[in-house]
Amino acid sequence: MGERSSNRLASNLEQLVTKLESIHSQKSSELDQVSGVLGNMDKLVDIISRVELQRQAEHQLNEQLDKLNEVMENLSGQQQIARREVPVEETLHKIIKGVKVTGKVMDIVAGSLGVMFDSIVATVKTSERQGATRSTKEVDLASVLAPLGSLLQGLLSSEPVDNSTSKPNKSSKPEEKKEE
C-alpha cells in the first residue's frame, strides 16, 4: 500500500505539475496578449494626440484666415471708398495742369539756352573781330554769364510765359517749382 500511495502521490504530483505548467503557460500567453494590446493602445494614444494637435493647428489656421479675410474685406472696402472719392475730372485736371507746367518750364529753358548760345556766339565773333586788342582764346565771361542769369530768373519768376518770344518771361507758380 505504501507503494500504491506513493505512486498515487507521484501521479497526483505529476498532474498537479502539469496543471501548474498549463496554468503558467496560459497566464504567460495572456500576459503576452495584454502586452500586445497595451502596445497597440500606446500607438493609438499617440495617433489620437497627433490628430488632436492637427485639429488645434487647423483651428488656429482657420482663425488666422478669418482675421485675414476680415482685413482684406476692410481694405477692399476702403479702396473702393477711396476710389469713389476722387472724380475722374479732377484727375484729368491735375494731369493737364502738370503737362502745362512742364511745357512752360521747357519753354523757359529752351528760350534761355537760345539766348545764351546767341550771346556766346556774338561774344566769340566780337573777340575775333578785335584780334589786335585781344587774343582769340579770351572770352568775356560777363557776356557768357548774362544768359545764365536770365535762365535762372526765368525759372524763378512768377508771371506766365509768353510762347511768342524766345526770351523767358517771368513765370512760375509754387506748383511749377515742384515740377523742376
Side-chain angles (χ1 to χ4, degrees), residues 5-179:
S5 68
S6 67
N7 279 340
R8 240 166 124 195
L9 185 61
S11 154
N12 283 340
L13 283 175
E14 226 178 272
Q15 286 176 355
L16 186 59
V17 167
T18 308
K19 282 185 181 182
L20 283 175
E21 285 177 350
S22 72
I23 289 173
H24 179 65
S25 67
Q26 190 178 20
K27 292 288 180 186
S28 131
S29 70
E30 286 177 1
L31 283 176
D32 288 342
Q33 288 177 352
V34 167
S35 66
V37 168
L38 287 176
N40 288 338
M41 287 180 73
D42 287 341
K43 290 178 185 177
L44 184 61
V45 167
D46 186 43
I47 290 170
I48 289 173
S49 66
R50 278 190 269 155
V51 167
E52 185 62 30
L53 287 174
Q54 285 178 343
R55 281 185 187 166
Q56 289 176 354
E58 287 175 1
H59 182 69
Q60 290 175 349
L61 180 63
N62 285 337
E63 287 177 353
Q64 290 175 351
L65 287 174
D66 289 342
K67 289 178 184 177
L68 182 63
N69 279 338
E70 289 176 14
V71 169
M72 293 297 288
E73 288 174 0
N74 289 339
L75 287 176
S76 66
Q78 290 175 356
Q79 286 178 350
Q80 290 175 355
I81 290 171
R83 288 181 185 160
R84 292 180 194 149
E85 289 176 2
V86 179
V88 176
E89 292 173 1
E90 185 178 328
T91 305
L92 291 175
H93 286 297
K94 287 181 180 179
I95 292 171
I96 291 169
K97 190 175 185 179
V99 169
K100 285 181 181 179
V101 168
T102 305
K104 289 177 183 179
V105 169
M106 289 176 67
D107 185 39
I108 291 170
V109 170
S112 297
L113 287 176
V115 169
M116 182 174 61
F117 287 129
D118 290 342
S119 297
I120 291 172
V121 168
T123 303
V124 170
K125 286 183 180 179
T126 304
S127 65
E128 287 177 359
R129 288 181 194 155
Q130 298 173 353
T133 58
R134 289 186 183 165
S135 68
T136 58
K137 293 183 180 179
E138 292 181 14
V139 177
D140 185 16
L141 290 178
S143 61
V144 172
L145 292 176
L148 288 175
S150 66
L151 171 68
L152 291 175
Q153 286 177 351
L155 290 175
L156 297 176
S157 64
S158 61
E159 293 181 13
V161 173
D162 183 14
N163 291 334
S164 63
T165 64
S166 62
K167 292 185 181 179
N169 291 335
K170 295 182 179 178
S171 71
S172 206
K173 296 180 183 174
E175 299 154 351
E176 293 175 355
K177 289 181 184 177
K178 293 178 187 175
E179 293 294 318

